[in-house]
Amino acid sequence: MSAGPVIPDFGDPSACVASDATFCADWFTDHWWNLFWPALLQHLELTLIAVVLGFVLAVAAAVLCHFKGWLAAPVSAVTSFLYTVPPLALFQLLVPVTGFSVLTVEIALVLYSIYLLFTTFLTGLREVPGDAVRAARGMGLTRRQILFKVELRLAVPSLIAGLRVATVMTIGIVAIAAYVVDKGLGSLILKALQSPFNTQFIGAGALAVVLALAADGALVLAGRLLTPWARTRRA
Amino acid sequence: MSTEKTPASAQDIVFDHVVKTYPNAASPAVDDLSLTVSAGEICVLLGPSGSGKTTALMMVNRLAEITGGDIRIGGRSITDHDPIELRRSIGYVIQQTGLFPHLTIADNIATVPKVLGWDKRRVKDRVAELLDLVGLPVAEFGRRYPSQLSGGQRQRVGIARALAADPPVMLMDEPFGALDPITRERVQDEFLALHERIRKTVIFVSHDIDEAVKMGDRIAIFREGGKLAQYDTPRTLLKEPADEFVARFVGADRGLKRLTLTRLAELDLTPATSGDAALPAIGADASLRAALSLMVAEGTDAVRVMESGDGGGGGEVGAGGEGGEGPGGAKALGTASLDAVRKAGAA
Ligand SMILES: Nc1ncnc2c1ncn2[C@@H]1O[C@H](COP(=O)(O)OP(=O)(O)OP(=O)(O)O)[C@@H](O)[C@H]1O
Ligand SMILES: [Mg+2]
């Protein structure tokens, strides 16, 4: 083994890289625009698509089950079964059908997150104070108006809570999706696994953590803005 | 509670052999209910838990569908209306008010006007008018959330919200049930004063006989099984309970309760003499019961009746100067003796 740099073709190695240090900040910043930033954007994109799709499907399923109570048990059974399949196995199952594609990744991500979203949303809808709904009915709001003006509005804290867990979880699973598509921070990590040079691996991993924290923070903030009534409890 | 003034906006409500049997129930929740609530009156539905009061109320706005008989509002059967339209024309207040926690006070009140498609200006004016009516200035309270109000204030907002589209009829299901006794009494007084002005036809569910006697022009007493036991004015109900059940329900102290129905001002007072100065004083607004209580407490057999303020039905000001020497120069109107109180109460 030579003592020289292991990462090939990135120009003259700096002192840090040459000494094979654990983390080289200069190498990280040098490769921000051509390596980390694009991967971060891909990671975010894969996550967003999955979470938005999962959100829409889960809200639709929860509303349907809220209206037709008998649907809740079967929907819950199916989604919880999907949740028990390990994500990696789910990818494996889908590849023969949809290939090594973004589609495969998104299907798996959505199927995996939907159980969590669905159960929190349904609970949120069911926990809307019965008094408010009875008052709304008694005032002559239609079923639709009650759903949109009362129930979904009061379920916002649950929607946000579900989204927070699902988003953080999805950001983690997208990293594994690198086995299927060469995208996201996961692919940087996967490639770096074979090399003793750790900066790429550590940098990508840290970015995934930062992304998860930032997404979580953004959702908390959105929740605050959407629920002004919850901030004004009497002292 | 006079019933002469009945503006065109109020409508009578007729229950015509109404039956409600819930699906899979062995017996009806409301069984053959017939009664008429005259326009502008307050009718209190009173009875033990499970006797069908809420069910009877919810049939009026079709939150529960009748399974027999008919209910007519202003002569028109409720089944002729679309349920949504019907509900928008009926004010509805429930216990804990059912205010929407996620909407400001102003938006809560604006709910029905908005779904009715009123323009912004009109909605805003109506909200301000109603908040004013219940004594909560819009500038101070309009932008608060329900969690930022006291229980009594929330209840007033609930009433304002029910009045938003100026419905001829109001349904109130134990609206003051969750309030502490002092607040409840104040909100009751306020509602009676408000009712004097707006004269809606009101059906009011209660399980408290004292509240029923105070609020009701007429009281419908329900017994188990959703049967109407008696429908009468409070005075008649207390004087001539139809049967053992009603007598037990209104309580052994129904004689005392009857005393609450008459104010000292309604008595022929004995002219005041110089010897009366030692007698305990009480405002003319006070009920005969309060006067009797004062006599017992002070060990006298008469009270000195003082002129009271504006005599309006309570309102914000603490209930008429019970026993106190009115501040400044309250004038003595005369005296009321134990005997006079007893006779007036028995009448
Ligand atoms: N949605 C429903 N389905 C089936 N039965 C019902 C329903 N609502 C009420 N009941 C039954 O109807 C009867 C009357 O109930 P209701 O709520 O009208 O009584 P209430 O007089 O209002 O009692 P409370 O003073 O406790 O509020 C009860 O036996 C109750 O169990
Ligand atoms: Mg009830």
Side-chain angles (χ1 to χ4, degrees):
Chain A
M1 275 257 177
S2 79
V6 187
I7 301 296
D9 293 336
F10 284 123
D12 291 330
S14 68
C16 173
V17 175
S19 70
D20 208 5
T22 312
F23 183 76
C24 294
D26 56 344
W27 192 89
F28 181 76
T29 46
D30 281 350
H31 295 87
W32 173 254
W33 292 113
N34 69 350
L35 215 57
F36 293 102
W37 177 247
L40 184 65
L41 285 188
Q42 290 162 359
H43 205 101
L44 185 63
E45 192 188 348
L46 289 171
T47 304
L48 270 180
I49 294 172
V51 170
V52 168
L53 276 177
F55 176 79
V56 171
L57 287 174
V59 167
V63 166
L64 206 65
C65 293
H66 182 55
F67 282 2
K68 309 261 173 237
W70 58 269
L71 274 173
V75 172
S76 189
V78 171
T79 53
S80 71
F81 167 74
L82 291 168
Y83 185 64
T84 58
V85 181
L88 209 51
L90 208 52
F91 288 136
Q92 209 57 52
L93 286 170
L94 285 166
V95 164
V97 187
T98 47
F100 288 96
S101 65
V102 171
L103 184 63
T104 300
V105 172
E106 295 298 351
I107 292 175
L109 290 174
V110 169
L111 289 183
Y112 198 66
S113 65
I114 202 158
Y115 171 70
L116 237 153
L117 292 170
F118 167 76
T119 42
T120 27
F121 293 179
L122 185 59
T123 309
L125 284 174
R126 285 180 171 170
E127 280 174 356
V128 167
D131 268 357
V133 175
R134 179 150 82 105
R137 283 185 69 210
M139 291 163 78
L141 299 200
T142 61
R143 193 67 196 85
R144 246 181 110 88
Q145 285 168 333
I146 295 172
L147 178 68
F148 286 105
K149 285 175 186 279
V150 181
E151 290 174 313
L152 283 175
R153 297 280 300 276
L154 285 172
V156 164
S158 311
L159 300 186
I160 294 290
L163 277 177
R164 285 179 63 189
V165 181
T167 304
V168 169
M169 188 187 77
T170 303
I171 287 173
I173 302 175
V174 166
I176 310 176
Y179 284 105
V180 180
V181 284
D182 182 18
K183 277 178 183 296
L185 296 165
S187 87
L188 294 192
I189 296 173
L190 197 60
K191 284 171 194 159
L193 282 181
Q194 291 121 30
S195 131
F197 180 66
N198 285 328
T199 300
Q200 178 170 327
F201 162 70
I202 292 174
L207 281 178
V209 171
V210 169
L211 182 61
L213 290 177
D216 195 50
L219 283 167
V220 170
L221 199 68
R224 289 255 174 90
L225 293 176
L226 287 171
T227 58
W229 73 89
R231 267 178 295 153
T232 52
R233 297 265 167 253
R234 272 146 53 90
Chain B
M1 278 156 272
S2 62
T3 54
E4 299 92 49
K5 322 169 256 176
T6 47
S9 75
Q11 292 178 329
D12 64 348
I13 304 171
V14 177
F15 288 78
D16 186 1
H17 297 286
V18 171
V19 179
K20 172 67 186 184
T21 310
Y22 283 107
N24 304 324
S27 58
V30 170
D31 195 1
D32 196 27
L33 174 65
S34 291
L35 60 83
T36 298
V37 186
S38 304
E41 277 197 355
I42 299 177
C43 164
V44 177
L45 309 184
L46 185 67
S49 186
S51 57
K53 308 178 295 290
T54 296
T55 302
L57 194 77
M58 293 203 305
M59 282 189 283
V60 178
N61 62 3
R62 294 183 67 181
L63 286 180
E65 292 289 351
I66 49 179
T67 50
D70 194 14
I71 298 176
R72 288 183 293 277
I73 301 177
R76 196 169 157 204
S77 168
I78 55 164
T79 52
D80 291 349
H81 295 76
D82 169 61
I84 299 290
E85 297 300 323
L86 176 76
R87 289 173 196 154
R88 288 177 186 172
S89 70
I90 295 177
Y92 188 48
V93 185
I94 59 180
Q95 193 174 348
Q96 318 273 24
T97 73
L99 289 185
F100 303 132
H102 61 295
L103 295 183
T104 60
I105 300 311
D107 286 338
N108 260 285
I109 296 175
T111 308
V112 172
K114 274 186 186 160
V115 301
L116 288 174
W118 293 15
D119 65 64
K120 277 212 171 96
R121 183 79 246 158
R122 187 170 166 217
V123 173
K124 201 167 162 237
D125 290 347
R126 183 63 178 156
V127 167
E129 180 190 353
L130 283 164
L131 278 175
D132 203 47
L133 190 69
V134 297
L136 300 169
V138 68
E140 190 184 344
F141 292 94
R143 300 179 62 171
R144 292 206 200 170
Y145 289 97
S147 62
Q148 297 169 300
L149 298 188
S150 73
Q153 289 168 336
R154 270 194 287 250
Q155 208 58 58
R156 290 191 254 166
V157 175
I159 290 168
R161 184 175 70 171
L163 289 169
D166 201 23
V169 167
M170 274 179 89
L171 307 177
M172 306 175 80
D173 195 347
E174 302 200 30
F176 311 141
L179 301 177
D180 65 85
I182 292 171
T183 311
R184 183 185 316 159
E185 208 155 301
R186 212 186 59 227
V187 181
Q188 285 169 346
D189 289 335
E190 284 167 7
F191 181 73
L192 284 176
L194 180 66
H195 186 254
E196 279 296 316
R197 294 165 60 188
I198 58 173
R199 282 282 151 193
K200 305 289 180 192
T201 311
V202 177
I203 302 184
F204 187 112
V205 170
S206 177
H207 56 235
D208 174 4
I209 172 74
D210 292 312
E211 180 172 69
V213 167
K214 179 172 181 182
M215 307 294 290
D217 292 304
R218 276 170 199 278
I219 300 174
I221 296 208
F222 284 60
R223 68 169 93 242
E224 310 285 343
K227 294 195 174 63
L228 182 63
Q230 187 168 4
Y231 183 48
D232 260 313
T233 61
R235 199 176 288 275
T236 313
L237 202 75
L238 291 171
K239 197 172 176 189
E240 295 151 19
D243 56 25
E244 192 55 29
F245 170 80
V246 177
R248 245 184 319 118
F249 199 84
V250 297
D253 62 342
R254 61 194 162 91
L256 277 178
K257 287 188 175 113
R258 248 153 74 204
L259 293 180
T260 61
L261 293 168
T262 312
R263 292 170 187 234
L264 282 167
E266 297 166 49
L267 289 191
D268 292 326
L269 300 174
T270 317
T273 62
S274 54
D276 299 338
L279 291 178
I282 187 167
D285 248 10
S287 70
L288 298 187
R289 183 178 180 153
L292 179 65
S293 163
L294 188 62
M295 287 183 221
V296 172
E298 300 290 322
T300 61
D301 54 11
V303 288
R304 201 153 45 100
V305 182
M306 313 301 284
E307 192 173 44
S308 42
D310 52 25
E316 295 277 80
V317 221
E322 213 167 310
E325 294 282 355
K331 207 178 82 198
L333 298 173
T335 61
S337 68
L338 184 56
D339 214 38
V341 167
R342 188 178 55 75
K343 281 190 181 128

